[in-house]
């Protein structure tokens, strides 16, 4: 998996995803195996993301590495692998949980997030992430994304150990 850093973490659309992808040079991307200039477009798959407005269906690019032979999805940093809920909402849910604040405002602002989603996020956070956030003294802000990639080699709240690498595209 390859994650492209984007400063816009509050919204997502196919248009925004395509704009980020179209601005990329695949030759500049590095495969999680460590090689570069080895990735080619391989295919696409559909994925849903729950936003405040609606459920957005995205067509996600997969690339193939000619060195290691693996395929990798190209995600943007507002997305949490294997989750339909964006990282910013997950951070807010965790902040509310830590402060013992009701999650009603989350559900009011995003009608696609329900109590089951919130319970699942809190359960995953407590089981996999809480100790890292505490031990490393990570801030529960968007700055958390690069820190998690640097120290843990995965996106915040990514629970599967699928290799993931963060790419900062040049401006």
């Amino acid at each position: 998996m390859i994650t492209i850093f984007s400063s816009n973490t509050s919204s997502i659309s196919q248009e925004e995803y395509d704009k980020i992808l179209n601005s990329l040079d695949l030759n500049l991307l590095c495969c999680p195996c460590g090689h570069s200039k080895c990735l080619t477009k391989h295919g696409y798959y559909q994925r849903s993301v729950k936003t405040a407005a609606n459920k957005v269906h995205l067509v996600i690019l997969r690339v193939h590495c000619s060195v290691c032979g693996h395929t990798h999805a190209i995600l943007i940093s507002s997305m949490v692998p294997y989750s339909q809920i964006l990282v910013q909402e997950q951070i807010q849910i965790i902040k509310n949980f830590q402060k013992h604040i009701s999650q009603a405002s989350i559900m009011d602002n995003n009608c696609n997030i329900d109590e089951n989603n919130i319970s699942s996020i809190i359960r995953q956070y407590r089981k996999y992430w809480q100790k890292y956030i505490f031990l490393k003294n990570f801030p529960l802000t968007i700055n958390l994304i690069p820190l998690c990639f640097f120290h843990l080699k995965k996106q915040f709240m990514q629970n599967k150990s699928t290799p993931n690498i963060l790419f900062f595209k040049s401006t």
Side-chain angles (χ1 to χ4, degrees), residues 53-87:
N54 55 13
K55 198 173 196 179
V56 176
H57 300 282
L58 299 172
V59 178
I60 303 295
L61 173 66
R62 290 191 66 79
V63 293
H64 178 262
C65 175
S66 60
V67 176
C68 70
H70 289 101
T71 60
H72 306 284
I74 306 285
L75 302 179
I76 54 177
S77 57
S78 60
M79 301 168 73
V80 177
Y82 313 106
S83 176
Q84 292 185 356
I85 300 172
L86 297 175
V87 70

Side-chain angles (χ1 to χ4, degrees), residues 1-5 29-34 45 47 70-83 87 129 145-168:
M1 195 169 309
I2 301 169
T3 301
I4 310 301
F5 186 80
L29 292 180
C30 188
C31 176
C33 75
Y45 71 95
R47 174 174 179 177
H70 289 101
T71 60
H72 306 284
I74 306 285
L75 302 179
I76 54 177
S77 57
S78 60
M79 301 168 73
V80 177
Y82 313 106
S83 176
V87 70
W129 285 92
I145 293 171
L147 289 171
C148 287
F149 275 96
F150 180 76
H151 291 281
L152 304 169
K153 308 295 186 240
K154 57 184 172 179
Q155 171 65 296
F156 176 62
M157 292 299 287
Q158 175 184 336
N159 291 324
K160 293 187 180 181
S161 59
T162 306
N164 196 345
I165 188 167
L166 183 62
F167 178 76
F168 290 91

Side-chain angles (χ1 to χ4, degrees), residues 30-60:
C30 188
C31 176
C33 75
H35 293 89
S36 58
K37 298 184 181 179
C38 57
L39 299 172
T40 56
K41 290 183 180 180
H42 179 69
Y44 298 88
Y45 71 95
Q46 285 199 350
R47 174 174 179 177
S48 298
V49 176
K50 295 178 178 183
T51 67
N54 55 13
K55 198 173 196 179
V56 176
H57 300 282
L58 299 172
V59 178
I60 303 295

